[in-house]
Amino acid sequence: MRIKIFILTENPLFFFKLNKVLTEKKIKFKILNLWNKIPNIPSLILTTLEEINKIKNNDKKNAIILSYAKEDSFKQYYLKILAAYRIGHVKDYSKLTFSIDPGAKQIGLVIFLDDYYLNSHTIYDPKNVIKKIKEYVNTLQNKNSNFTHLSFKFGGGVPQTTTDLVKEIFNIYKNRKKKIYLIDEAKSSKIKIYDNEKKSSMPKHEASALILALRDGIEINQNNYSKIFKQFKFSKLKEEGFNKEIFKKGNRMILTTQEIMQKVLSGKLSLSEAPEMTKNCKEIN
């Protein structure tokens, strides 16, 4: 069960911003009116730094208080809320995974934090992909330490876009431990995914990026990626044996692809658990 979210503030601008973004993202929350009554359940209390001293019984271990200061980036504050809501509020997250589906006009980006689905975006400018990645890394890593695992999975539908993005990632995080993979995109764009929380279908390129996140691929590094890009066509990755198609029809009928993806989006399945289940999914479309 996801953590409960409560808003406790007398700051109208702060409340307006929170109400707007949480409502848009269909994240449920409740409003608290009394500073001396904090719910004694696993919960996230959202307030401002100026008001935090008003909270009287801040000794309840189940309540986590996340405060916002005027000088803070509200976008980063929201990402911290989202991380606490989907994964749990911890001091040090260890693993951040980005799955990218480059299209001709749109790019799908899906983010996993500590192996669980965090968020997804449809981006129209490749430069904004890098900007978005940096935003997540800078917001969610501890100020005194980096992520233990930082990984990127790239589809190759538009080779030049993928090449440019990979080159930029190597440049930005040249002194960081990271893993970068090229993933076969076969059939990824044909699978439609319905998001139960948002009550709508996941945008095409975001759905493709989610599928790619569950696939193996060929790992590249700064020394070999140029050679691999020149030597192999992305469309041939599967034929060369670099990636195994995980969406196979098996003898055991367990879950459909749709059901598996919905469990990933809802946080019931991790990035490590889902690929094994898809080997026996009962349908591809």
PDB file of all heavy atoms in Angstrom, residues 79-80 82-84 86-88 90 92-98 110-119 136 140-141 147 149 270-271:
ATOM      1  N   LEU A  79       9.387  16.102  -7.027  1.00  0.00           N
ATOM      2  CA  LEU A  79      10.028  14.820  -7.307  1.00  0.00           C
ATOM      3  C   LEU A  79      10.323  14.052  -6.013  1.00  0.00           C
ATOM      4  O   LEU A  79      10.219  12.823  -5.971  1.00  0.00           O
ATOM      5  CB  LEU A  79      11.323  15.025  -8.096  1.00  0.00           C
ATOM      6  CG  LEU A  79      11.181  15.478  -9.547  1.00  0.00           C
ATOM      7  CD1 LEU A  79      12.550  15.552 -10.218  1.00  0.00           C
ATOM      8  CD2 LEU A  79      10.260  14.549 -10.335  1.00  0.00           C
ATOM      9  N   LYS A  80      10.663  14.763  -4.954  1.00  0.00           N
ATOM     10  CA  LYS A  80      10.892  14.120  -3.664  1.00  0.00           C
ATOM     11  C   LYS A  80       9.592  13.545  -3.104  1.00  0.00           C
ATOM     12  O   LYS A  80       9.580  12.472  -2.500  1.00  0.00           O
ATOM     13  CB  LYS A  80      11.512  15.116  -2.677  1.00  0.00           C
ATOM     14  CG  LYS A  80      12.925  15.530  -3.042  1.00  0.00           C
ATOM     15  CD  LYS A  80      13.463  16.582  -2.079  1.00  0.00           C
ATOM     16  CE  LYS A  80      14.870  17.029  -2.473  1.00  0.00           C
ATOM     17  NZ  LYS A  80      15.388  18.090  -1.579  1.00  0.00           N
ATOM     18  N   LEU A  82       7.052  12.566  -4.987  1.00  0.00           N
ATOM     19  CA  LEU A  82       6.737  11.427  -5.844  1.00  0.00           C
ATOM     20  C   LEU A  82       7.565  10.203  -5.448  1.00  0.00           C
ATOM     21  O   LEU A  82       7.048   9.075  -5.399  1.00  0.00           O
ATOM     22  CB  LEU A  82       6.999  11.791  -7.304  1.00  0.00           C
ATOM     23  CG  LEU A  82       6.540  10.784  -8.362  1.00  0.00           C
ATOM     24  CD1 LEU A  82       5.020  10.638  -8.335  1.00  0.00           C
ATOM     25  CD2 LEU A  82       6.998  11.221  -9.755  1.00  0.00           C
ATOM     26  N   ALA A  83       8.844  10.417  -5.166  1.00  0.00           N
ATOM     27  CA  ALA A  83       9.719   9.311  -4.760  1.00  0.00           C
ATOM     28  C   ALA A  83       9.242   8.697  -3.447  1.00  0.00           C
ATOM     29  O   ALA A  83       9.192   7.466  -3.301  1.00  0.00           O
ATOM     30  CB  ALA A  83      11.160   9.805  -4.630  1.00  0.00           C
ATOM     31  N   ALA A  84       8.872   9.537  -2.488  1.00  0.00           N
ATOM     32  CA  ALA A  84       8.384   9.040  -1.196  1.00  0.00           C
ATOM     33  C   ALA A  84       7.062   8.299  -1.360  1.00  0.00           C
ATOM     34  O   ALA A  84       6.817   7.275  -0.720  1.00  0.00           O
ATOM     35  CB  ALA A  84       8.222  10.203  -0.223  1.00  0.00           C
ATOM     36  N   ARG A  86       5.880   6.746  -4.155  1.00  0.00           N
ATOM     37  CA  ARG A  86       5.968   5.504  -4.935  1.00  0.00           C
ATOM     38  C   ARG A  86       6.945   4.491  -4.348  1.00  0.00           C
ATOM     39  O   ARG A  86       6.710   3.283  -4.400  1.00  0.00           O
ATOM     40  CB  ARG A  86       6.392   5.814  -6.375  1.00  0.00           C
ATOM     41  CG  ARG A  86       5.373   6.599  -7.169  1.00  0.00           C
ATOM     42  CD  ARG A  86       5.674   6.502  -8.650  1.00  0.00           C
ATOM     43  NE  ARG A  86       4.822   7.346  -9.457  1.00  0.00           N
ATOM     44  CZ  ARG A  86       3.579   7.045  -9.813  1.00  0.00           C
ATOM     45  NH1 ARG A  86       3.041   5.905  -9.420  1.00  0.00           N
ATOM     46  NH2 ARG A  86       2.870   7.878 -10.558  1.00  0.00           N
ATOM     47  N   ILE A  87       8.066   4.956  -3.802  1.00  0.00           N
ATOM     48  CA  ILE A  87       9.120   4.037  -3.380  1.00  0.00           C
ATOM     49  C   ILE A  87       9.308   4.028  -1.863  1.00  0.00           C
ATOM     50  O   ILE A  87       9.694   3.034  -1.269  1.00  0.00           O
ATOM     51  CB  ILE A  87      10.466   4.385  -4.080  1.00  0.00           C
ATOM     52  CG1 ILE A  87      10.403   4.011  -5.558  1.00  0.00           C
ATOM     53  CG2 ILE A  87      11.631   3.617  -3.477  1.00  0.00           C
ATOM     54  CD1 ILE A  87       9.879   5.060  -6.466  1.00  0.00           C
ATOM     55  N   GLY A  88       9.014   5.146  -1.239  1.00  0.00           N
ATOM     56  CA  GLY A  88       9.244   5.293   0.192  1.00  0.00           C
ATOM     57  C   GLY A  88      10.294   6.364   0.434  1.00  0.00           C
ATOM     58  O   GLY A  88      11.196   6.551  -0.379  1.00  0.00           O
ATOM     59  N   VAL A  90      13.485   7.594   1.930  1.00  0.00           N
ATOM     60  CA  VAL A  90      14.712   7.099   2.547  1.00  0.00           C
ATOM     61  C   VAL A  90      15.806   8.144   2.385  1.00  0.00           C
ATOM     62  O   VAL A  90      15.739   9.009   1.511  1.00  0.00           O
ATOM     63  CB  VAL A  90      15.170   5.763   1.917  1.00  0.00           C
ATOM     64  CG1 VAL A  90      14.147   4.666   2.144  1.00  0.00           C
ATOM     65  CG2 VAL A  90      15.451   5.924   0.434  1.00  0.00           C
ATOM     66  N   ASP A  92      19.020   7.572   1.562  1.00  0.00           N
ATOM     67  CA  ASP A  92      19.879   7.289   0.413  1.00  0.00           C
ATOM     68  C   ASP A  92      19.208   6.299  -0.533  1.00  0.00           C
ATOM     69  O   ASP A  92      19.083   5.118  -0.202  1.00  0.00           O
ATOM     70  CB  ASP A  92      21.225   6.696   0.870  1.00  0.00           C
ATOM     71  CG  ASP A  92      22.105   7.712   1.558  1.00  0.00           C
ATOM     72  OD1 ASP A  92      22.381   8.747   0.936  1.00  0.00           O
ATOM     73  OD2 ASP A  92      22.513   7.465   2.702  1.00  0.00           O
ATOM     74  N   TYR A  93      18.780   6.785  -1.691  1.00  0.00           N
ATOM     75  CA  TYR A  93      18.352   5.880  -2.749  1.00  0.00           C
ATOM     76  C   TYR A  93      19.621   5.367  -3.421  1.00  0.00           C
ATOM     77  O   TYR A  93      20.601   6.093  -3.554  1.00  0.00           O
ATOM     78  CB  TYR A  93      17.481   6.606  -3.774  1.00  0.00           C
ATOM     79  CG  TYR A  93      16.173   7.117  -3.204  1.00  0.00           C
ATOM     80  CD1 TYR A  93      15.962   8.479  -2.996  1.00  0.00           C
ATOM     81  CD2 TYR A  93      15.150   6.233  -2.883  1.00  0.00           C
ATOM     82  CE1 TYR A  93      14.773   8.944  -2.471  1.00  0.00           C
ATOM     83  CE2 TYR A  93      13.947   6.697  -2.361  1.00  0.00           C
ATOM     84  CZ  TYR A  93      13.757   8.047  -2.154  1.00  0.00           C
ATOM     85  OH  TYR A  93      12.577   8.509  -1.630  1.00  0.00           O
ATOM     86  N   SER A  94      19.598   4.120  -3.868  1.00  0.00           N
ATOM     87  CA  SER A  94      20.843   3.543  -4.383  1.00  0.00           C
ATOM     88  C   SER A  94      20.869   3.362  -5.896  1.00  0.00           C
ATOM     89  O   SER A  94      21.943   3.329  -6.490  1.00  0.00           O
ATOM     90  CB  SER A  94      21.098   2.182  -3.716  1.00  0.00           C
ATOM     91  OG  SER A  94      20.064   1.266  -4.036  1.00  0.00           O
ATOM     92  N   LYS A  95      19.708   3.242  -6.524  1.00  0.00           N
ATOM     93  CA  LYS A  95      19.688   2.867  -7.937  1.00  0.00           C
ATOM     94  C   LYS A  95      18.719   3.738  -8.725  1.00  0.00           C
ATOM     95  O   LYS A  95      17.558   3.894  -8.353  1.00  0.00           O
ATOM     96  CB  LYS A  95      19.286   1.393  -8.066  1.00  0.00           C
ATOM     97  CG  LYS A  95      19.376   0.825  -9.466  1.00  0.00           C
ATOM     98  CD  LYS A  95      19.038  -0.666  -9.444  1.00  0.00           C
ATOM     99  CE  LYS A  95      19.170  -1.291 -10.822  1.00  0.00           C
ATOM    100  NZ  LYS A  95      18.836  -2.737 -10.798  1.00  0.00           N
ATOM    101  N   LEU A  96      19.205   4.286  -9.835  1.00  0.00           N
ATOM    102  CA  LEU A  96      18.363   5.106 -10.714  1.00  0.00           C
ATOM    103  C   LEU A  96      18.555   4.606 -12.144  1.00  0.00           C
ATOM    104  O   LEU A  96      19.680   4.514 -12.633  1.00  0.00           O
ATOM    105  CB  LEU A  96      18.761   6.577 -10.610  1.00  0.00           C
ATOM    106  CG  LEU A  96      17.812   7.617 -11.222  1.00  0.00           C
ATOM    107  CD1 LEU A  96      16.438   7.571 -10.578  1.00  0.00           C
ATOM    108  CD2 LEU A  96      18.395   9.024 -11.070  1.00  0.00           C
ATOM    109  N   THR A  97      17.450   4.245 -12.784  1.00  0.00           N
ATOM    110  CA  THR A  97      17.496   3.699 -14.141  1.00  0.00           C
ATOM    111  C   THR A  97      16.639   4.538 -15.074  1.00  0.00           C
ATOM    112  O   THR A  97      15.492   4.851 -14.761  1.00  0.00           O
ATOM    113  CB  THR A  97      16.977   2.249 -14.160  1.00  0.00           C
ATOM    114  OG1 THR A  97      17.781   1.449 -13.296  1.00  0.00           O
ATOM    115  CG2 THR A  97      17.035   1.671 -15.575  1.00  0.00           C
ATOM    116  N   PHE A  98      17.214   4.888 -16.223  1.00  0.00           N
ATOM    117  CA  PHE A  98      16.492   5.645 -17.243  1.00  0.00           C
ATOM    118  C   PHE A  98      16.338   4.772 -18.486  1.00  0.00           C
ATOM    119  O   PHE A  98      17.309   4.224 -18.988  1.00  0.00           O
ATOM    120  CB  PHE A  98      17.253   6.920 -17.621  1.00  0.00           C
ATOM    121  CG  PHE A  98      17.424   7.894 -16.497  1.00  0.00           C
ATOM    122  CD1 PHE A  98      18.570   7.878 -15.729  1.00  0.00           C
ATOM    123  CD2 PHE A  98      16.440   8.819 -16.209  1.00  0.00           C
ATOM    124  CE1 PHE A  98      18.739   8.770 -14.683  1.00  0.00           C
ATOM    125  CE2 PHE A  98      16.596   9.725 -15.164  1.00  0.00           C
ATOM    126  CZ  PHE A  98      17.744   9.697 -14.399  1.00  0.00           C
ATOM    127  N   VAL A 110      11.324   6.850 -19.312  1.00  0.00           N
ATOM    128  CA  VAL A 110      10.747   6.220 -18.123  1.00  0.00           C
ATOM    129  C   VAL A 110      11.842   6.114 -17.067  1.00  0.00           C
ATOM    130  O   VAL A 110      12.980   5.733 -17.370  1.00  0.00           O
ATOM    131  CB  VAL A 110      10.170   4.831 -18.440  1.00  0.00           C
ATOM    132  CG1 VAL A 110       9.712   4.137 -17.157  1.00  0.00           C
ATOM    133  CG2 VAL A 110       8.982   4.962 -19.396  1.00  0.00           C
ATOM    134  N   ILE A 111      11.500   6.450 -15.834  1.00  0.00           N
ATOM    135  CA  ILE A 111      12.476   6.457 -14.747  1.00  0.00           C
ATOM    136  C   ILE A 111      12.095   5.437 -13.686  1.00  0.00           C
ATOM    137  O   ILE A 111      10.938   5.376 -13.254  1.00  0.00           O
ATOM    138  CB  ILE A 111      12.572   7.865 -14.098  1.00  0.00           C
ATOM    139  CG1 ILE A 111      12.921   8.911 -15.159  1.00  0.00           C
ATOM    140  CG2 ILE A 111      13.606   7.877 -12.987  1.00  0.00           C
ATOM    141  CD1 ILE A 111      11.733   9.664 -15.703  1.00  0.00           C
ATOM    142  N   PHE A 112      13.084   4.636 -13.267  1.00  0.00           N
ATOM    143  CA  PHE A 112      12.918   3.694 -12.168  1.00  0.00           C
ATOM    144  C   PHE A 112      13.852   4.097 -11.038  1.00  0.00           C
ATOM    145  O   PHE A 112      15.034   4.370 -11.265  1.00  0.00           O
ATOM    146  CB  PHE A 112      13.254   2.271 -12.611  1.00  0.00           C
ATOM    147  CG  PHE A 112      12.209   1.625 -13.473  1.00  0.00           C
ATOM    148  CD1 PHE A 112      12.164   1.886 -14.831  1.00  0.00           C
ATOM    149  CD2 PHE A 112      11.274   0.758 -12.924  1.00  0.00           C
ATOM    150  CE1 PHE A 112      11.212   1.295 -15.637  1.00  0.00           C
ATOM    151  CE2 PHE A 112      10.313   0.162 -13.723  1.00  0.00           C
ATOM    152  CZ  PHE A 112      10.277   0.427 -15.077  1.00  0.00           C
ATOM    153  N   LEU A 113      13.334   4.110  -9.824  1.00  0.00           N
ATOM    154  CA  LEU A 113      14.131   4.444  -8.644  1.00  0.00           C
ATOM    155  C   LEU A 113      14.158   3.232  -7.724  1.00  0.00           C
ATOM    156  O   LEU A 113      13.106   2.705  -7.354  1.00  0.00           O
ATOM    157  CB  LEU A 113      13.531   5.649  -7.917  1.00  0.00           C
ATOM    158  CG  LEU A 113      14.240   6.124  -6.650  1.00  0.00           C
ATOM    159  CD1 LEU A 113      15.663   6.588  -6.956  1.00  0.00           C
ATOM    160  CD2 LEU A 113      13.450   7.251  -5.974  1.00  0.00           C
ATOM    161  N   ASP A 114      15.355   2.783  -7.369  1.00  0.00           N
ATOM    162  CA  ASP A 114      15.526   1.576  -6.557  1.00  0.00           C
ATOM    163  C   ASP A 114      14.688   0.423  -7.096  1.00  0.00           C
ATOM    164  O   ASP A 114      14.020  -0.302  -6.349  1.00  0.00           O
ATOM    165  CB  ASP A 114      15.196   1.859  -5.090  1.00  0.00           C
ATOM    166  CG  ASP A 114      16.339   2.573  -4.375  1.00  0.00           C
ATOM    167  OD1 ASP A 114      17.391   2.780  -5.007  1.00  0.00           O
ATOM    168  OD2 ASP A 114      16.179   2.935  -3.200  1.00  0.00           O
ATOM    169  N   ASP A 115      14.691   0.302  -8.418  1.00  0.00           N
ATOM    170  CA  ASP A 115      14.082  -0.820  -9.136  1.00  0.00           C
ATOM    171  C   ASP A 115      12.562  -0.723  -9.299  1.00  0.00           C
ATOM    172  O   ASP A 115      11.947  -1.633  -9.839  1.00  0.00           O
ATOM    173  CB  ASP A 115      14.438  -2.150  -8.462  1.00  0.00           C
ATOM    174  CG  ASP A 115      14.995  -3.157  -9.448  1.00  0.00           C
ATOM    175  OD1 ASP A 115      15.446  -2.738 -10.533  1.00  0.00           O
ATOM    176  OD2 ASP A 115      14.975  -4.360  -9.154  1.00  0.00           O
ATOM    177  N   TYR A 116      11.952   0.381  -8.853  1.00  0.00           N
ATOM    178  CA  TYR A 116      10.506   0.523  -8.995  1.00  0.00           C
ATOM    179  C   TYR A 116      10.163   1.745  -9.855  1.00  0.00           C
ATOM    180  O   TYR A 116      10.874   2.748  -9.839  1.00  0.00           O
ATOM    181  CB  TYR A 116       9.830   0.646  -7.621  1.00  0.00           C
ATOM    182  CG  TYR A 116       9.739  -0.690  -6.910  1.00  0.00           C
ATOM    183  CD1 TYR A 116      10.753  -1.107  -6.061  1.00  0.00           C
ATOM    184  CD2 TYR A 116       8.650  -1.540  -7.130  1.00  0.00           C
ATOM    185  CE1 TYR A 116      10.694  -2.347  -5.434  1.00  0.00           C
ATOM    186  CE2 TYR A 116       8.578  -2.779  -6.502  1.00  0.00           C
ATOM    187  CZ  TYR A 116       9.600  -3.175  -5.658  1.00  0.00           C
ATOM    188  OH  TYR A 116       9.529  -4.399  -5.049  1.00  0.00           O
ATOM    189  N   TYR A 117       9.076   1.630 -10.578  1.00  0.00           N
ATOM    190  CA  TYR A 117       8.635   2.700 -11.471  1.00  0.00           C
ATOM    191  C   TYR A 117       8.419   3.996 -10.697  1.00  0.00           C
ATOM    192  O   TYR A 117       7.739   4.024  -9.672  1.00  0.00           O
ATOM    193  CB  TYR A 117       7.332   2.295 -12.168  1.00  0.00           C
ATOM    194  CG  TYR A 117       6.678   3.426 -12.944  1.00  0.00           C
ATOM    195  CD1 TYR A 117       7.171   3.810 -14.193  1.00  0.00           C
ATOM    196  CD2 TYR A 117       5.589   4.124 -12.420  1.00  0.00           C
ATOM    197  CE1 TYR A 117       6.589   4.850 -14.891  1.00  0.00           C
ATOM    198  CE2 TYR A 117       5.002   5.157 -13.118  1.00  0.00           C
ATOM    199  CZ  TYR A 117       5.501   5.517 -14.357  1.00  0.00           C
ATOM    200  OH  TYR A 117       4.930   6.551 -15.048  1.00  0.00           O
ATOM    201  N   LEU A 118       8.994   5.068 -11.198  1.00  0.00           N
ATOM    202  CA  LEU A 118       8.849   6.373 -10.566  1.00  0.00           C
ATOM    203  C   LEU A 118       8.007   7.329 -11.405  1.00  0.00           C
ATOM    204  O   LEU A 118       7.030   7.900 -10.921  1.00  0.00           O
ATOM    205  CB  LEU A 118      10.223   6.998 -10.306  1.00  0.00           C
ATOM    206  CG  LEU A 118      10.221   8.403  -9.686  1.00  0.00           C
ATOM    207  CD1 LEU A 118       9.586   8.374  -8.297  1.00  0.00           C
ATOM    208  CD2 LEU A 118      11.626   8.975  -9.627  1.00  0.00           C
ATOM    209  N   ASN A 119       8.377   7.497 -12.692  1.00  0.00           N
ATOM    210  CA  ASN A 119       7.688   8.497 -13.506  1.00  0.00           C
ATOM    211  C   ASN A 119       8.014   8.280 -14.979  1.00  0.00           C
ATOM    212  O   ASN A 119       8.917   7.512 -15.317  1.00  0.00           O
ATOM    213  CB  ASN A 119       8.131   9.909 -13.081  1.00  0.00           C
ATOM    214  CG  ASN A 119       7.077  10.959 -13.353  1.00  0.00           C
ATOM    215  OD1 ASN A 119       5.956  10.639 -13.763  1.00  0.00           O
ATOM    216  ND2 ASN A 119       7.414  12.211 -13.144  1.00  0.00           N
ATOM    217  N   TYR A 136      16.558  14.631 -12.344  1.00  0.00           N
ATOM    218  CA  TYR A 136      16.279  13.490 -11.463  1.00  0.00           C
ATOM    219  C   TYR A 136      17.509  13.094 -10.666  1.00  0.00           C
ATOM    220  O   TYR A 136      17.416  12.833  -9.455  1.00  0.00           O
ATOM    221  CB  TYR A 136      15.776  12.300 -12.290  1.00  0.00           C
ATOM    222  CG  TYR A 136      14.303  12.368 -12.604  1.00  0.00           C
ATOM    223  CD1 TYR A 136      13.843  12.981 -13.765  1.00  0.00           C
ATOM    224  CD2 TYR A 136      13.354  11.827 -11.735  1.00  0.00           C
ATOM    225  CE1 TYR A 136      12.486  13.060 -14.054  1.00  0.00           C
ATOM    226  CE2 TYR A 136      12.000  11.894 -12.012  1.00  0.00           C
ATOM    227  CZ  TYR A 136      11.566  12.505 -13.177  1.00  0.00           C
ATOM    228  OH  TYR A 136      10.229  12.589 -13.456  1.00  0.00           O
ATOM    229  N   LEU A 140      17.449  13.491  -6.520  1.00  0.00           N
ATOM    230  CA  LEU A 140      17.215  12.285  -5.730  1.00  0.00           C
ATOM    231  C   LEU A 140      18.464  11.664  -5.119  1.00  0.00           C
ATOM    232  O   LEU A 140      18.357  10.830  -4.226  1.00  0.00           O
ATOM    233  CB  LEU A 140      16.491  11.243  -6.600  1.00  0.00           C
ATOM    234  CG  LEU A 140      15.103  11.689  -7.089  1.00  0.00           C
ATOM    235  CD1 LEU A 140      14.525  10.662  -8.048  1.00  0.00           C
ATOM    236  CD2 LEU A 140      14.154  11.908  -5.918  1.00  0.00           C
ATOM    237  N   GLN A 141      19.648  12.060  -5.570  1.00  0.00           N
ATOM    238  CA  GLN A 141      20.843  11.521  -4.931  1.00  0.00           C
ATOM    239  C   GLN A 141      21.160  12.322  -3.672  1.00  0.00           C
ATOM    240  O   GLN A 141      20.851  13.509  -3.578  1.00  0.00           O
ATOM    241  CB  GLN A 141      22.034  11.526  -5.879  1.00  0.00           C
ATOM    242  CG  GLN A 141      22.620  12.885  -6.168  1.00  0.00           C
ATOM    243  CD  GLN A 141      23.770  12.832  -7.156  1.00  0.00           C
ATOM    244  OE1 GLN A 141      24.057  11.797  -7.735  1.00  0.00           O
ATOM    245  NE2 GLN A 141      24.430  13.951  -7.353  1.00  0.00           N
ATOM    246  N   PHE A 147      24.575   7.943  -6.507  1.00  0.00           N
ATOM    247  CA  PHE A 147      23.886   6.670  -6.635  1.00  0.00           C
ATOM    248  C   PHE A 147      24.909   5.558  -6.801  1.00  0.00           C
ATOM    249  O   PHE A 147      25.904   5.699  -7.519  1.00  0.00           O
ATOM    250  CB  PHE A 147      22.954   6.675  -7.855  1.00  0.00           C
ATOM    251  CG  PHE A 147      21.692   7.459  -7.641  1.00  0.00           C
ATOM    252  CD1 PHE A 147      21.555   8.726  -8.167  1.00  0.00           C
ATOM    253  CD2 PHE A 147      20.643   6.919  -6.911  1.00  0.00           C
ATOM    254  CE1 PHE A 147      20.395   9.455  -7.976  1.00  0.00           C
ATOM    255  CE2 PHE A 147      19.483   7.641  -6.712  1.00  0.00           C
ATOM    256  CZ  PHE A 147      19.357   8.904  -7.237  1.00  0.00           C
ATOM    257  N   HIS A 149      24.170   2.710  -8.229  1.00  0.00           N
ATOM    258  CA  HIS A 149      23.900   2.187  -9.569  1.00  0.00           C
ATOM    259  C   HIS A 149      23.189   3.259 -10.393  1.00  0.00           C
ATOM    260  O   HIS A 149      22.104   3.711 -10.029  1.00  0.00           O
ATOM    261  CB  HIS A 149      23.025   0.938  -9.490  1.00  0.00           C
ATOM    262  CG  HIS A 149      23.597  -0.163  -8.655  1.00  0.00           C
ATOM    263  ND1 HIS A 149      24.586  -1.002  -9.113  1.00  0.00           N
ATOM    264  CD2 HIS A 149      23.329  -0.543  -7.391  1.00  0.00           C
ATOM    265  CE1 HIS A 149      24.903  -1.860  -8.154  1.00  0.00           C
ATOM    266  NE2 HIS A 149      24.151  -1.607  -7.100  1.00  0.00           N
ATOM    267  N   SER A 270       8.735  -5.105  -9.453  1.00  0.00           N
ATOM    268  CA  SER A 270       9.953  -4.324  -9.640  1.00  0.00           C
ATOM    269  C   SER A 270      10.520  -4.558 -11.027  1.00  0.00           C
ATOM    270  O   SER A 270      10.105  -5.465 -11.757  1.00  0.00           O
ATOM    271  CB  SER A 270      10.993  -4.713  -8.589  1.00  0.00           C
ATOM    272  OG  SER A 270      11.507  -6.007  -8.871  1.00  0.00           O
ATOM    273  N   LEU A 271      11.503  -3.765 -11.388  1.00  0.00           N
ATOM    274  CA  LEU A 271      12.178  -3.885 -12.680  1.00  0.00           C
ATOM    275  C   LEU A 271      12.913  -5.216 -12.783  1.00  0.00           C
ATOM    276  O   LEU A 271      13.107  -5.749 -13.876  1.00  0.00           O
ATOM    277  CB  LEU A 271      13.162  -2.722 -12.859  1.00  0.00           C
ATOM    278  CG  LEU A 271      13.856  -2.559 -14.208  1.00  0.00           C
ATOM    279  CD1 LEU A 271      12.836  -2.429 -15.331  1.00  0.00           C
ATOM    280  CD2 LEU A 271      14.773  -1.344 -14.185  1.00  0.00           C
TER     281      LEU A 271
END
